[in-house]
Amino acid sequence: MKALSQRRRHPLAAVALLLMALLTTGGIYAAASTANEAQAQTTSFTANDVEEGSKLFTANCASCHGMGATGSDAAPSLVGVGAASVDFQVGTGRMPMQMDGPQAQVKPVQFTEEQTRQLAAYVASLGAGPAIPSDDVLDASEGDTAAGGELFRVNCAMCHNAAAAGGALTRGKYAPALDGTSAKHIYEAMVTGPQNMPVFNDANITPEDKQDIIAFLDTIGEQGSPGGADLGSLGPVSEGLFIWVAGLGVIIAFTVWLTSRSS
Amino acid sequence: MSSSTATQDFVPKTRVGKVTDYVDSRVGGSSLVKEFGRKIFPDHWTFMFGEVALYTFVILLISGTFLTFFYDPSMAETEYDGSYLPLRGVEMSVAYASTLDISFDVRGGLFMRQVHHWAALLFVAAVAVHMLRVFFTGAFRKPREFNWIIGCVLLILSLAAGFTGYSLPDDLLSGNGLRIIDGVMKAIPVIGTYLSFFLFGGEFPGTAIVGRLYVLHILLVPAVILLMIGLHLFLVVLHKHSQYPGPGRTNTNVVGYPVGPVYAAKAGGFFFIVFGVLAAIAAAFTINPIWNYGPYDPSPVSAGTQPDWYIGWVDGALRLMPGTLGNFDLEFMIPFPWGTNALSLNVLIPALVPAIILFTLMFAWPWIEGWVTKDTREHHLLDRPRNAPTRTAIGVAGVVFYCVMWAAASSDLIATHFMVSLNDVTYWLRALVIIGPILGFMVSRRISLALQRKDREIALHGRETGRIVRLPHGEFIEVHEPVDDYKLYTLTSFDSPRVSQPTPDENGKVSRLDKVHGRLSRFFFEDRVAPVRPSELAASHDDHHDEVAGTKDRESIASR
């Protein structure tokens, strides 16, 4: 204790203190936020959830999806799409759809988690479909990153890009970038096939394999770019653009400087 | 050697002098320095792109040598157990594994890889810009036609060097590039499959291609590039450097600085600047993150798969080509005595036709233009692009043609980043690849002529000062400031060829070739802004004396 008090005027004391404070608050926040996530995911719905969800659906979704979610000319029937589909579409802000277009855009989420769960409960009650995944299948720490990478390159990269930076599809449709997408939404997208995505059911890619893919996406998202700024991970196009604009631009600035008259 | 008798009389006094004299009396370097050191090079920033290309090539040799210490061009299969976690345990080729090791386990390896790759991109870009400068200023004219050809060969070689290097890491991206080459090769009728089997040592991808490309990449292609650079520079020294027109600059002199000492120091310093810029870029920006792409496997093709920028235009042409035209199939099955052969025009046309058009025109251009102008004089003074409107316009048309195909290679990224439909991007670019060059030709020729007219106007009437003066009788005029004689020289002294009409021979006949020549000559020189003649200049000063500033005005303007 004496040693500590002797060093309290050390030039690095403030830095050390700051570091400790940051670590403490960060640690508490991390613990608290994971605790929140865990609470938010419940897969069992009560009759009350279904009742409330039905009301929400009639007020917000039925104008396109029809009363009883049986579909209309504007939108498909939702009987049998499952709770996972609702949780993905509503939970990522894609539904209610902002405007008619090639595909639903991501936008700020319109419903609370509670309301989303009630909507999911209602749609799940209409017919059997993929359920919202439980926490144990989403735990990326269980997954094999390398195996997930192989699965991702074979099954996902042709649309989502090898670095999950997204890519174009036909007629204005596209596969979005996957950075920042939660494990739950990745899993739900695989089992329900939203927008133009194919469905990867459990026979196609087993839950363990899905876990591997999530682990791979987590790893490449967290590790950052080993070689410096990644220029959007878009491949040779952004590299070519960069060398022509920035590289050659700087070189030209130097050539002008070198050949200017020193008068 | 008259100079050697002079050096024998010289007795060095200092130690450095003695050593230098000892070496010089045995090597004879001083005569070389005397000759080459007094070589004059004109100073202009556009003359430095060739230097950039040379320096990036040196950087490529240095960084490439480092990479060969650790790279293993083997397609044998191995299980990766290096530092990069997301690939550990994955089956891959030794080539890919060793490239990963360079990136993650060799000290400074990733930096050197990135220096090498960024330098390659800059190398080809510098070559391209250098060629554009030479083209638009007419520096390919007599006596430099052969050097232009050497330059064209160097461009093709640099594409070859780039492509062979791009394929070496044996990652998914480069493998897809090779697959396209394989497809194009197989589209060539009859011999296509044989060519492909010959290159790949069997069916694609085989186990031979990486080793073969490696030999081409580190031995054959750089050796030929070095040879060509040697020839290129030898001819530059032989011809002397061309220069922009200006007062005191003629066809028989070169105005500039001697190589020794200032220019050599500048050029040497510039090498380190280029190296520094590339090193800074390589340290801060990722290029070709092969760890993202994974090992090559013929089944997956990742979104965002593009070649490096210099091959992009061929990829773009392939993307633009429709598979069928309405109901008209572009694939033909042609029966031969030995069986049926496919003629896949939907692959052959985009893969070969644009390249044939561009490269043929590029190689033949000095002679095409020489035949049209019938100009056999030597040209050491460059053209300002505006003073050769048709050449400039044809160059711009070529650039637009290239750039539309180039843009097409990134059609998917244009679609996602500007939120438009990929199909619409393709349709627009299809239209632009035809219309764009024509529009580019017309617009740039008009702009060139307009700039010439502006030059003429300034030469005759001076610069508009924006000063409005009311004369005693009430008239308002804008004061024009005459340009100084130096500027006037640049504005007025240029060649402006006229249309040469075909003349009948003694039988009163005009040969077909002469007719073609007449038509081409009209196409080139019909729209023409005549340079200012001295008489016109004198007349303008007499006629419009009230329009130009008086002596007093001129002094007051000059003093500002």
Side-chain angles (χ1 to χ4, degrees), chain B residues 187-241:
Chain B
I188 300 170
V190 187
I191 59 163
T193 35
Y194 293 96
L195 267 183
S196 166
F197 271 58
F198 175 68
L199 178 67
F200 290 93
E203 181 57 274
F204 175 89
T207 53
I209 186 68
V210 168
R212 291 178 179 182
L213 290 175
Y214 186 59
V215 173
L216 294 178
H217 183 71
I218 70 161
L219 184 73
L220 189 65
V221 177
V224 184
I225 288 181
L226 262 179
L227 178 74
M228 288 291 158
I229 288 178
L231 275 175
H232 201 65
L233 292 181
F234 172 73
L235 285 179
V236 168
V237 171
L238 190 75
H239 292 144
K240 299 179 187 63
H241 206 290

Side-chain angles (χ1 to χ4, degrees), chain A residues 46-227:
Chain A
T46 62
N48 186 41
D49 286 341
V50 176
E51 178 66 22
E52 289 296 317
S54 168
K55 284 179 191 160
L56 280 168
F57 188 91
T58 311
N60 295 288
C61 319
S63 55
C64 297
H65 286 290
M67 296 303 287
T70 50
S72 73
D73 291 343
S77 160
L78 299 183
V79 176
V81 299
S85 191
V86 178
D87 191 62
F88 177 84
Q89 300 281 2
V90 178
T92 59
R94 285 180 168 83
M95 286 290 157
M97 214 166 154
Q98 190 171 30
M99 57 176 185
D100 209 7
Q103 75 186 44
Q105 309 282 324
V106 171
K107 65 172 184 306
V109 180
Q110 303 294 304
F111 294 96
T112 62
E113 283 185 28
E114 177 70 11
Q115 288 170 325
T116 308
R117 204 169 56 85
Q118 290 163 345
L119 277 171
Y122 169 68
V123 170
S125 74
L126 300 174
I132 297 171
S134 58
D135 287 343
D136 52 317
V137 295
L138 297 177
D139 187 7
S141 61
E142 299 278 306
D144 177 347
T145 309
E150 271 191 300
L151 285 165
F152 187 84
R153 284 188 290 276
V154 173
N155 292 290
C156 321
M158 52 277 290
C159 299
H160 285 287
N161 167 315
L169 303 173
T170 53
R171 302 217 175 273
K173 294 170 288 200
Y174 62 92
L178 300 182
D179 56 321
T181 310
S182 71
K184 185 176 71 157
H185 287 148
I186 293 170
Y187 193 99
E188 286 168 350
M190 285 191 276
V191 292
T192 64
Q195 321 293 337
N196 302 288
M197 186 165 158
V199 172
F200 296 94
N201 61 27
D202 287 357
N204 255 333
I205 296 179
T206 63
E208 291 75 40
D209 287 347
K210 289 189 175 99
Q211 210 169 13
D212 292 347
I213 291 174
I214 291 168
F216 169 73
L217 288 172
D218 262 12
T219 310
I220 64 166
E222 278 165 18
Q223 74 180 9
S225 169

Side-chain angles (χ1 to χ4, degrees), chain B residues 38-102:
Chain B
R38 300 305 299 163
K39 204 88 196 161
I40 303 291
F41 279 92
D43 240 1
H44 196 274
W45 65 273
T46 58
F47 293 161
M48 298 188 84
F49 293 112
E51 257 176 80
V52 177
L54 178 64
Y55 298 156
T56 43
F57 184 68
V58 173
I59 295 164
L60 284 168
L61 289 183
I62 296 170
S63 54
T65 305
F66 178 90
L67 295 177
T68 60
F69 294 163
F70 305 99
Y71 174 73
D72 184 353
S74 158
M75 289 174 89
E77 285 197 20
T78 180
E79 196 171 282
Y80 179 68
D81 62 349
S83 306
Y84 188 66
L85 202 63
L87 285 173
R88 198 176 278 177
V90 172
E91 284 279 315
M92 58 180 66
S93 69
V94 171
Y96 183 58
S98 69
T99 316
L100 284 173
D101 286 343
I102 290 173

Side-chain angles (χ1 to χ4, degrees), chain A residues 157-158 171 223 225 228-229 239 258, chain B residues 84 266 284 286 288 301 303 423:
Chain A
M158 52 277 290
R171 302 217 175 273
Q223 74 180 9
S225 169
E239 292 158 10
L258 278 174
Chain B
Y84 188 66
K266 259 189 181 181
T286 293
N288 197 18
V301 180
N423 303 51

Side-chain angles (χ1 to χ4, degrees), chain B residues 412-434:
Chain B
D412 54 332
L413 294 171
I414 295 173
T416 50
H417 283 71
F418 296 102
M419 300 297 279
V420 286
S421 157
L422 176 62
N423 303 51
D424 290 344
V425 174
T426 306
Y427 300 149
W428 274 100
L429 290 176
R430 273 179 193 165
L432 271 180
V433 82
I434 310 285

